[in-house]
Amino acid sequence: MNRKQVGAFLKIMSNDQVRPVLCTAYVDVFRGKTVLVATDSYILTAVYIPDIDEDMIGKVITRKAMEIWYKLADGKSYFDSETIRELVLDDERNNRNTDMQYPKWQSIVEKLEQSAVDTIAFNADYVKKVQDLNGTAGLTLELNGKLGGMV
């Protein structure tokens, strides 16, 4: 992820200290690909990160570590598997609490069903976050229902 994508990722990650586990990013595997997961309990994102070492799967990165990286990053910085390893080790060296059970997010995602959609309501702020996470200039929506004029 580039710096802009990490900024969008941080907007989705919770900063509510009442539930500290949600103030972390979780390294996991989804559909055979390694992902970095964050949620605020309302919105969840799983971003594919290639080439993450197996020993990093199941680790968490604190929001604080990611914010420090984000603040120090420039336009050429890239958040990759090496960065993940460095931040996990940084959390351990600084005794940040990373010994916690991340929510079972995959079971929620797997239960989602694709169904016909008659109406789509857009939250512009959310769509902008998704666009930034994808690192693209636009978004493509795949509609699995009847298609008609959109206003």
Side-chain angles (χ1 to χ4, degrees):
M1 292 189 291
N2 62 33
R3 184 179 187 278
K4 186 176 183 180
Q5 289 171 302
V6 171
F9 191 85
L10 284 167
K11 288 178 183 174
I12 292 173
M13 183 189 296
S14 178
N15 60 4
D16 178 2
Q17 294 300 319
V18 174
R19 296 175 292 176
V21 70
L22 299 183
C23 298
T24 63
Y26 183 63
V27 182
D28 206 353
V29 176
F30 185 64
R31 296 183 179 161
K33 296 181 179 180
T34 51
V35 292
L36 194 61
V37 181
T39 185
D40 65 359
S41 78
Y42 297 100
I43 300 171
L44 181 135
T45 186
V47 178
Y48 290 113
I49 307 281
D51 305 322
I52 295 178
D53 296 330
E54 278 191 35
D55 64 329
M56 289 291 107
I57 295 170
K59 302 283 187 178
V60 296
I61 303 169
T62 63
R63 179 179 183 87
K64 182 171 183 152
M66 288 191 72
E67 285 175 336
I68 291 169
W69 182 92
Y70 179 74
K71 289 175 184 176
L72 296 174
D74 61 21
K76 295 180 182 178
S77 299
Y78 203 75
F79 195 95
D80 56 13
S81 59
E82 185 177 322
T83 307
I84 290 171
R85 178 172 294 285
E86 290 171 7
L87 295 183
V88 166
L89 293 174
D90 183 61
D91 279 337
E92 290 172 0
R93 277 191 303 270
N94 289 295
N95 295 319
R96 295 186 193 115
N97 184 13
T98 58
D99 187 28
M100 52 186 87
Q101 184 70 35
Y102 204 81
K104 303 289 184 205
W105 67 277
Q106 289 193 24
S107 60
I108 296 167
V109 172
E110 293 293 342
K111 290 178 186 175
L112 298 176
E113 296 179 24
Q114 293 184 354
S115 59
V117 176
D118 291 327
T119 306
I120 299 175
F122 285 97
N123 175 325
D125 185 48
Y126 174 72
V127 172
K128 176 69 174 138
K129 288 176 191 174
V130 171
Q131 179 179 318
D132 290 347
L133 275 170
N134 285 328
T136 61
L139 293 175
T140 301
L141 298 177
E142 181 179 322
L143 302 176
N144 297 299
K146 56 186 176 182
L147 204 53
M150 297 177 68
V151 178

